[in-house]
Amino acid sequence: MNRLVNKNDQWTGSAADGVEQALSLLQEQPFDVVLLGTGIDGEGEARLRQYLDGAPYDCRVIRHFGGGSGLLLSEIMAATGEFSEPQ
């Protein structure tokens, strides 16, 4: 997912190996979107959403189960209101 996000010149992605690392990244800088892969369970997702509910910035959470790069890009564009193809 991170590789696909970073293919777009207008996007910058960071990857986390788990919930603790993700929370650390979220505390360091604001993010517009958090992509959750299959490695994050319901408890981890709840912890991330709880943190983001109190964050001083607006961030959308997308649970991505796979399905190809086109689906991922469409999910991100729909969440951000951006409808241009990656450069």
Side-chain angles (χ1 to χ4, degrees), residues 16-35:
D17 290 334
V19 174
E20 296 306 322
Q21 188 177 16
L23 287 169
S24 179
L25 288 170
L26 290 167
Q27 291 169 2
E28 291 173 13
Q29 66 184 26
F31 286 83
D32 296 317
V33 175
V34 170
L35 298 171

Side-chain angles (χ1 to χ4, degrees), residues 1-3 6 13-18 21-22 25 31:
M1 289 190 299
N2 193 42
R3 179 183 56 81
N6 284 307
S14 298
D17 290 334
Q21 188 177 16
L25 288 170
F31 286 83

Side-chain angles (χ1 to χ4, degrees), residues 45-77:
E45 180 177 354
R47 287 182 61 204
L48 290 167
R49 287 183 183 275
Q50 181 179 16
Y51 173 80
L52 290 168
D53 283 346
Y57 57 90
D58 185 31
C59 180
R60 293 156 196 87
V61 178
I62 299 171
R63 172 148 301 274
H64 180 70
F65 292 103
S69 60
L71 176 59
L72 176 62
L73 297 176
S74 294
E75 289 171 337
I76 295 168
M77 289 187 296

